[in-house]
PDB file of all heavy atoms in Angstrom:
ATOM      1  N   LYS A  54     -11.466   3.807   7.848  1.00  0.00           N
ATOM      2  CA  LYS A  54     -11.328   3.383   6.428  1.00  0.00           C
ATOM      3  C   LYS A  54     -12.564   2.785   5.752  1.00  0.00           C
ATOM      4  O   LYS A  54     -12.637   2.426   4.648  1.00  0.00           O
ATOM      5  CB  LYS A  54     -10.146   2.408   6.324  1.00  0.00           C
ATOM      6  CG  LYS A  54      -8.780   2.996   6.295  1.00  0.00           C
ATOM      7  CD  LYS A  54      -7.810   1.960   6.085  1.00  0.00           C
ATOM      8  CE  LYS A  54      -7.866   1.144   4.801  1.00  0.00           C
ATOM      9  NZ  LYS A  54      -7.108   1.595   3.785  1.00  0.00           N
ATOM     10  N   ARG A  56     -13.122  -0.371   6.372  1.00  0.00           N
ATOM     11  CA  ARG A  56     -12.320  -1.472   5.930  1.00  0.00           C
ATOM     12  C   ARG A  56     -13.041  -2.782   6.477  1.00  0.00           C
ATOM     13  O   ARG A  56     -13.443  -2.808   7.632  1.00  0.00           O
ATOM     14  CB  ARG A  56     -10.964  -1.545   6.468  1.00  0.00           C
ATOM     15  CG  ARG A  56      -9.927  -2.599   5.961  1.00  0.00           C
ATOM     16  CD  ARG A  56      -8.580  -2.276   6.575  1.00  0.00           C
ATOM     17  NE  ARG A  56      -7.613  -3.270   6.309  1.00  0.00           N
ATOM     18  CZ  ARG A  56      -6.537  -3.175   5.352  1.00  0.00           C
ATOM     19  NH1 ARG A  56      -6.630  -2.242   4.500  1.00  0.00           N
ATOM     20  NH2 ARG A  56      -5.707  -4.168   5.235  1.00  0.00           N
ATOM     21  N   PRO A 137      -2.533   0.333   7.555  1.00  0.00           N
ATOM     22  CA  PRO A 137      -2.818   0.000   6.182  1.00  0.00           C
ATOM     23  C   PRO A 137      -2.793   1.387   5.428  1.00  0.00           C
ATOM     24  O   PRO A 137      -2.483   2.375   6.004  1.00  0.00           O
ATOM     25  CB  PRO A 137      -4.297  -0.403   6.257  1.00  0.00           C
ATOM     26  CG  PRO A 137      -4.866   0.370   7.413  1.00  0.00           C
ATOM     27  CD  PRO A 137      -3.716   0.509   8.453  1.00  0.00           C
ATOM     28  N   SER A 138      -3.009   1.310   4.154  1.00  0.00           N
ATOM     29  CA  SER A 138      -2.885   2.541   3.430  1.00  0.00           C
ATOM     30  C   SER A 138      -3.996   3.529   3.788  1.00  0.00           C
ATOM     31  O   SER A 138      -5.108   3.096   4.198  1.00  0.00           O
ATOM     32  CB  SER A 138      -3.117   2.308   1.861  1.00  0.00           C
ATOM     33  OG  SER A 138      -4.127   1.364   1.651  1.00  0.00           O
ATOM     34  N   ASN A 140      -6.578   5.470   2.961  1.00  0.00           N
ATOM     35  CA  ASN A 140      -7.594   5.707   2.002  1.00  0.00           C
ATOM     36  C   ASN A 140      -8.861   5.030   2.419  1.00  0.00           C
ATOM     37  O   ASN A 140      -8.821   4.166   3.399  1.00  0.00           O
ATOM     38  CB  ASN A 140      -7.278   5.059   0.608  1.00  0.00           C
ATOM     39  CG  ASN A 140      -6.968   3.583   0.705  1.00  0.00           C
ATOM     40  OD1 ASN A 140      -6.146   3.202   1.463  1.00  0.00           O
ATOM     41  ND2 ASN A 140      -7.601   2.866  -0.089  1.00  0.00           N
ATOM     42  N   SER A 146      -5.338   4.388  -3.003  1.00  0.00           N
ATOM     43  CA  SER A 146      -4.417   4.783  -1.945  1.00  0.00           C
ATOM     44  C   SER A 146      -3.946   6.198  -2.277  1.00  0.00           C
ATOM     45  O   SER A 146      -3.885   6.653  -3.346  1.00  0.00           O
ATOM     46  CB  SER A 146      -3.250   3.885  -1.907  1.00  0.00           C
ATOM     47  OG  SER A 146      -3.591   2.501  -1.592  1.00  0.00           O
ATOM     48  N   GLU A 175       1.513   0.352  -3.344  1.00  0.00           N
ATOM     49  CA  GLU A 175       1.872  -0.331  -2.150  1.00  0.00           C
ATOM     50  C   GLU A 175       2.965  -1.349  -2.266  1.00  0.00           C
ATOM     51  O   GLU A 175       3.269  -1.781  -3.330  1.00  0.00           O
ATOM     52  CB  GLU A 175       0.661  -1.107  -1.611  1.00  0.00           C
ATOM     53  CG  GLU A 175      -0.683  -0.285  -1.420  1.00  0.00           C
ATOM     54  CD  GLU A 175      -1.446   0.006  -2.720  1.00  0.00           C
ATOM     55  OE1 GLU A 175      -0.905  -0.311  -3.829  1.00  0.00           O
ATOM     56  OE2 GLU A 175      -2.438   0.489  -2.719  1.00  0.00           O
ATOM     57  N   ARG A 190       1.451 -10.049  -3.362  1.00  0.00           N
ATOM     58  CA  ARG A 190       1.053  -8.803  -3.959  1.00  0.00           C
ATOM     59  C   ARG A 190       2.311  -8.286  -4.663  1.00  0.00           C
ATOM     60  O   ARG A 190       3.329  -7.984  -3.944  1.00  0.00           O
ATOM     61  CB  ARG A 190       0.566  -7.764  -3.023  1.00  0.00           C
ATOM     62  CG  ARG A 190       0.190  -6.357  -3.515  1.00  0.00           C
ATOM     63  CD  ARG A 190      -0.523  -5.512  -2.535  1.00  0.00           C
ATOM     64  NE  ARG A 190       0.346  -4.967  -1.595  1.00  0.00           N
ATOM     65  CZ  ARG A 190      -0.011  -4.282  -0.525  1.00  0.00           C
ATOM     66  NH1 ARG A 190      -1.251  -3.953  -0.372  1.00  0.00           N
ATOM     67  NH2 ARG A 190       0.843  -3.768   0.273  1.00  0.00           N
ATOM     68  N   HIS A 230      -9.777  -3.271  -5.123  1.00  0.00           N
ATOM     69  CA  HIS A 230      -8.983  -2.148  -4.528  1.00  0.00           C
ATOM     70  C   HIS A 230      -8.707  -1.086  -5.466  1.00  0.00           C
ATOM     71  O   HIS A 230      -9.088  -1.235  -6.643  1.00  0.00           O
ATOM     72  CB  HIS A 230      -7.549  -2.697  -4.235  1.00  0.00           C
ATOM     73  CG  HIS A 230      -7.476  -3.423  -2.989  1.00  0.00           C
ATOM     74  ND1 HIS A 230      -8.157  -4.578  -2.554  1.00  0.00           N
ATOM     75  CD2 HIS A 230      -6.551  -3.284  -1.926  1.00  0.00           C
ATOM     76  CE1 HIS A 230      -7.857  -4.947  -1.451  1.00  0.00           C
ATOM     77  NE2 HIS A 230      -6.830  -4.245  -1.019  1.00  0.00           N
ATOM     78  N   TYR A 231      -8.220  -0.041  -4.925  1.00  0.00           N
ATOM     79  CA  TYR A 231      -7.440   0.988  -5.804  1.00  0.00           C
ATOM     80  C   TYR A 231      -8.242   1.536  -6.910  1.00  0.00           C
ATOM     81  O   TYR A 231      -7.654   2.070  -7.838  1.00  0.00           O
ATOM     82  CB  TYR A 231      -6.227   0.282  -6.506  1.00  0.00           C
ATOM     83  CG  TYR A 231      -5.610  -0.854  -5.727  1.00  0.00           C
ATOM     84  CD1 TYR A 231      -5.532  -2.133  -6.196  1.00  0.00           C
ATOM     85  CD2 TYR A 231      -5.108  -0.580  -4.397  1.00  0.00           C
ATOM     86  CE1 TYR A 231      -4.846  -3.109  -5.538  1.00  0.00           C
ATOM     87  CE2 TYR A 231      -4.473  -1.586  -3.726  1.00  0.00           C
ATOM     88  CZ  TYR A 231      -4.365  -2.891  -4.340  1.00  0.00           C
ATOM     89  OH  TYR A 231      -3.733  -3.852  -3.615  1.00  0.00           O
TER      90      TYR A 231
HETATM   91 MG1  LIG B 402      -4.804  -0.528   1.043  1.00  0.00          MG
END
Side-chain angles (χ1 to χ4, degrees):
K54 277 183 62 91
R56 185 175 174 102
S138 49
N140 55 306
S146 298
E175 305 84 349
R190 179 171 75 185
H230 275 54
Y231 328 120

